[in-house]
């Protein structure tokens, strides 16, 4: 059944038979109206084992709908224009088991994006998005089977630590590839294949940090040496000028002779 705003509801409404017909019809309209408004605009809601399946795929959505039914068990948001998963985006969905966010334009996943559904969620599809990295906290305590394929991942230490804690979808795990990398030679290769070969991106991170520290220290050392050289040369120049000034002054013997000459004349 379809209601204004594009909401679709298929849940059954139970009205006691003891009520007068007009009252029963009125209660049915009220119940269906409440249930209809519980379904987000432009989405289709249906029932599965007493819980709600929300179908919002290909609806040109730019953000995750905020008014999702509390008893949502499956949320389909694929093929939209969503760019971000904000903190606690699904906090009011304690029954959520299936979440499909594939084929969007997601670039950012906040650290607390999946708070509230970490225990209930069983499948999470984030494939075919624009993610390059995610914070380690984003998937903390998440037990769902996750698909992260076909994203432009930047392979470095944080991504390595994230992937080692996840239960990746075995059917798409080889499609999680390095689009870019701290080591260019691994760009274009499956991340898991690179890690299984013994590569540790965290070592590269530490080496890069050590090199940066060395360059910084060398720069400061060079500046100190340059200052010392300048200081010494400047002092040498001042000493030379002072010496020349002293040499230009008349000596005491010359002053005595001049004094005797003056006395004789007088």
């Amino acid at each position: 059944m379809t209601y204004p705003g594009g909401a679709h509801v298929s849940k059954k409404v139970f009205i006691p038979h003891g009520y007068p017909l007009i009252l029963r019809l009125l209660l049915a309209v009220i119940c269906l109206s409440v249930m209809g408004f519980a379904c987000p605009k432009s989405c289709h809601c249906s029932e599965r084992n007493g819980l709600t399946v929300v179908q919002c795929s290909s609806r040109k959505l730019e953000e995750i709908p905020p008014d999702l039914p509390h008893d949502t068990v499956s949320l389909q948001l694929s093929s939209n224009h969503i760019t971000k998963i904000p903190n606690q985006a699904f906090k009011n969905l304690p029954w959520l088991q299936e979440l499909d966010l594939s084929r969007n334009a997601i670039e950012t996943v906040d650290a607390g994006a999946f708070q509230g559904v970490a225990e209930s969620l069983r499948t999470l599809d984030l494939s075919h998005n624009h993610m390059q990295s995610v914070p380690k906290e984003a998937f903390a305590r998440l037990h769902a089977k996750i698909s992260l394929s076909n994203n432009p991942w930047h392979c470095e230490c944080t991504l390595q630590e994230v992937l080692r804690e996840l239960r990746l979808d075995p059917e798409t795990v080889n499609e999680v590839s390095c689009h870019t990398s701290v080591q260019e030679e691994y760009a274009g290769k499956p991340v898991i294949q690179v890690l299984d070969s013994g590569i540790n991106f965290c070592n590269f991170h530490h080496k890069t940090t050590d090199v940066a520290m060395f360059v910084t220290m060398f720069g400061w050392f060079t500046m100190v040496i340059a200052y010392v050289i300048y200081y010494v040369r400047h002092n040498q120049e001042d000493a030379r000028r002072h010496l020349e000034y002293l040499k230009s002054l008349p000596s005491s013997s010359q002053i005595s002779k001049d004094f005797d000459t003056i006395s004789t004349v007088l």
Side-chain angles (χ1 to χ4, degrees), residues 125 127 145-151 153 155 159 163-164 166-178 188-196:
D125 194 344
S127 62
K145 181 173 66 176
I146 304 176
S147 177
L148 297 174
S149 60
N150 296 290
N151 279 280
W153 295 111
C155 290
L159 181 62
L163 294 182
R164 290 200 182 280
L166 297 184
R167 180 189 164 205
L168 294 175
D169 179 11
E171 296 182 3
T172 61
V173 66
N174 289 325
E175 297 173 16
V176 182
S177 300
C178 300
K189 295 183 178 181
V191 181
I192 299 302
Q193 177 182 324
V194 173
L195 296 179
D196 287 345

Side-chain angles (χ1 to χ4, degrees), residues 117-167:
V117 296
E119 297 297 329
S120 63
L121 203 60
R122 295 293 175 265
T123 61
L124 172 60
D125 194 344
L126 289 168
S127 62
H128 296 275
N129 278 286
H130 300 164
M131 296 183 295
Q132 296 182 349
S133 63
V134 290
K136 291 185 291 185
E137 299 81 8
F139 300 123
R141 297 182 297 278
L142 203 62
H143 305 299
K145 181 173 66 176
I146 304 176
S147 177
L148 297 174
S149 60
N150 296 290
N151 279 280
W153 295 111
H154 176 64
C155 290
E156 39 75 46
C157 183
T158 300
L159 181 62
Q160 172 181 311
E161 293 178 345
V162 168
L163 294 182
R164 290 200 182 280
E165 300 297 325
L166 297 184
R167 180 189 164 205

